[in-house]
Amino acid sequence: MLTSKSSRPTPERLLDAAERLMRTIGLANTTTKAIAREAGCSEAALYKYYANKEELFVRVLMERTPNAGPLMAELVGDHAERSVEDGLTAIARHASLFYADAMPMAASLFAEPALLTRHREGVQQIGTGPHVVRDALTAHLRREQDRGRLRPDAAPAAAAALLLGACFQRAFFLHFSGEEVVQPVEEFAPAVARTLWAALR
C-alpha cells in the first residue's frame, strides 16, 4: 500500500519537498521557508533535522539522483577482479549521468554571486562539496597504482580531473546545446575510459 504524503516521517517529507522545488525552480530560488511550506511543516521543524538548505541539496543529490549511489560504490569499492578500464568505464557512465541530473538544479546559483557564496559556505559547514567525487576517484586510482595496475609515474589526481571534467563537460553541452551535440553515454563512457587508460597503463 502506498504511504500518503502526510503520514511520511517529517525528514522524508522535507527531503521530498526539497527535491520537488530544486528540480522545478532551481536551487537559488528554493528557500528553507518554501521547503517547509511545501512539506507542510514549520521552518523551525526543518532545522531540527537538517543543518541548512545545503545539507538538503546534498541529500537530494546523493539519495534522489539515481546514479549517485552507484557512482560512489564504484569509487570506494574494491574491484580488483575487474580490469581498470572496465572500472573507469563504469565510473564515467555514472558520473556523466549524475552530472547531467545535478546540473539543472545547481545552475541557477551561478547567476547570483551572493547566493553562490552562501551556498559554498553552507556546504563547507557540513564538510562536503563537489570535490568529494574528485577526491574519491583520486583515491581509487591511487589504490590501483599501489596494486601495480597503473604506471608508477601516472598522476592520479590529474587523471581524476580529466575523467570527471570530460563527464561534466558532456553534461554542460547536453543541457546547453541539446542531445544532438553529445555522444550517447553508452558510447561516450567507454571512449573516455579507453583514452584515459591508454595514458595510465
Side-chain angles (χ1 to χ4, degrees):
M1 186 171 66
L2 291 176
T3 304
S4 72
K5 176 180 169 182
S6 61
S7 66
R8 283 169 67 73
T10 301
E12 286 300 310
R13 284 192 286 122
L14 287 162
L15 204 54
D16 293 341
E19 180 183 12
R20 281 194 297 275
L21 291 172
M22 289 172 186
R23 288 191 184 280
T24 54
I25 64 174
L27 183 57
N29 296 314
T30 299
T31 63
T32 51
K33 184 176 291 186
I35 293 169
R37 185 170 56 246
E38 178 78 7
C41 66
S42 69
E43 195 173 5
L46 181 151
Y47 286 110
K48 288 180 183 177
Y49 300 102
Y50 300 103
N52 50 34
K53 181 177 79 171
E54 289 69 36
E55 182 181 359
L56 277 160
F57 176 58
V58 171
R59 292 281 299 273
V60 167
L61 280 184
M62 299 312 296
E63 297 175 23
R64 301 298 179 87
T65 53
N67 283 276
L71 173 59
M72 293 310 295
E74 289 290 343
L75 294 174
V76 303
D78 187 353
H79 304 288
E81 77 290 347
R82 187 176 59 187
S83 74
V84 176
E85 184 178 347
D86 285 348
L88 291 173
T89 299
I91 290 166
R93 180 181 182 280
H94 291 304
S96 296
L97 296 171
F98 171 71
Y99 287 137
D101 202 22
M103 189 173 288
M105 286 190 281
S108 57
L109 279 177
F110 292 91
E112 301 186 44
L115 274 178
L116 179 59
T117 298
R118 193 154 63 242
H119 177 77
R120 184 184 300 120
E121 291 168 352
V123 167
Q124 289 170 349
Q125 180 185 331
I126 60 173
T128 189
H131 64 281
V132 168
V133 175
R134 180 206 61 201
D135 293 348
L137 179 52
T138 300
H140 170 85
L141 291 170
R142 285 198 179 115
R143 288 194 299 273
E144 296 289 22
Q145 194 171 42
D146 291 343
R147 290 187 178 117
R149 302 214 293 175
L150 302 188
R151 287 169 39 184
D153 63 342
L162 287 167
L163 187 144
L164 294 175
C167 296
F168 191 85
Q169 184 191 63
R170 181 189 179 279
F172 174 76
F173 287 162
L174 175 68
H175 290 294
F176 193 87
S177 301
E179 289 186 11
E180 63 275 10
V181 304
V182 297
Q183 278 181 295
V185 73
E186 299 304 340
E187 297 173 11
F188 172 82
V192 168
R194 184 168 57 250
T195 302
L196 185 61
W197 175 233
L200 296 175
R201 62 187 175 199

